[in-house]
Amino acid sequence: MYHLCAQFNPDYQIEILKTANSNEIAFLQDTPTLSLISEAYSEEVPIYWLKLQLDSLDDFTGVREKLSESQKAELSELIYLNYYYLKVSEIALFFAWLKSGKYGQFYGAVDPMKIMSSLDQFANDRRKSIEVYEQRKKNEEMMLEYEIAEEMRRSEGHQQWLKEYFDKRKTNKS
């Protein structure tokens, strides 16, 4: 557990933003999901890790009313139960974007419902981005297959094979 919390501490939110394609890195990076962490350790570990992220958000905001400890505990559990499939890299990106104002701002208090609705929007953005990446990968694979087929068609061996094939067909028809 210590290794996980140390490697993916709240500073990781900034590190992931420093990468050129932060959302692509976060969505496609091989980092554990919240449910995988739960299976490997216990259900308390991803909830504790989420609480660390919320502590960082709480410290970051300039509002008067911060989250209470009971709000952090309940919010961490709600995030875990609703978004167990998200990777720690994705959660880190979400908090970085939340701090950056991508999902609006807090007025007077850190609002747990605002965090949950922002996370819902993030999950939708994530789904759309992953669909785009998968389509791009499929297009790249199709282009590669086409280039290979074209190269084979142009190669001498293939040309010779075609000539022999059509010569045999002519001979068989006669």
Side-chain angles (χ1 to χ4, degrees):
M1 176 179 97
Y2 175 76
H3 174 70
L4 172 84
C5 292
Q7 183 177 357
F8 300 110
N9 67 49
D11 293 340
Y12 182 64
Q13 297 168 13
I14 301 302
E15 291 303 313
I16 205 150
L17 278 181
K18 288 180 182 177
T19 59
N21 300 321
S22 57
N23 56 337
E24 188 170 347
I25 297 293
F27 300 150
L28 303 177
Q29 189 176 33
D30 189 22
T31 58
T33 63
L34 297 176
S35 62
L36 186 62
I37 294 167
S38 178
E39 290 172 21
Y41 299 100
S42 73
E43 195 171 282
E44 288 80 27
V45 173
I47 292 171
Y48 175 77
W49 181 81
L50 287 164
K51 187 178 174 302
L52 293 176
Q53 307 310 304
L54 290 168
D55 286 341
S56 174
L57 176 66
D58 222 13
D59 291 344
F60 179 81
T61 61
V63 296
R64 285 183 308 279
E65 290 186 46
K66 307 293 185 175
L67 291 168
S68 69
E69 289 304 312
S70 64
Q71 284 177 310
K72 287 179 193 175
E74 188 172 359
L75 186 53
S76 296
E77 193 164 352
L78 284 171
I79 292 171
Y80 169 71
L81 293 172
N82 286 288
Y83 299 99
Y84 58 89
Y85 58 89
L86 291 178
K87 300 174 186 179
V88 293
S89 56
E90 294 168 329
I91 296 283
L93 181 62
F94 164 71
F95 278 103
W97 281 354
L98 189 61
K99 288 177 179 179
S100 298
K102 181 172 176 131
Y103 300 109
Q105 56 188 1
F106 298 106
Y107 296 100
V110 178
D111 183 358
M113 292 182 70
K114 171 92 171 129
I115 294 169
M116 290 302 290
S117 64
S118 298
L119 190 50
D120 186 57
Q121 179 61 49
F122 174 83
N124 288 329
D125 294 344
R126 170 192 177 269
R127 180 186 47 77
K128 290 174 188 172
S129 292
I130 289 173
E131 287 173 1
V132 167
Y133 301 138
E134 287 174 350
Q135 186 61 47
R136 184 176 54 193
K137 184 177 177 181
K138 184 178 177 183
N139 291 345
E140 289 170 357
E141 289 171 356
M142 287 174 47
M143 186 57 119
L144 181 61
E145 288 175 11
Y146 173 78
E147 289 171 0
I148 290 170
E150 280 297 303
E151 185 61 35
M152 286 179 61
R153 189 180 63 75
R154 284 188 232 115
S155 71
E156 282 185 39
H158 185 70
Q159 294 297 327
Q160 181 62 34
W161 177 84
L162 282 175
K163 183 181 180 316
E164 291 172 7
Y165 174 77
F166 286 113
D167 286 347
K168 284 182 186 176
R169 286 191 66 179
K170 282 184 194 176
T171 307
N172 290 340
K173 286 185 179 180
S174 304

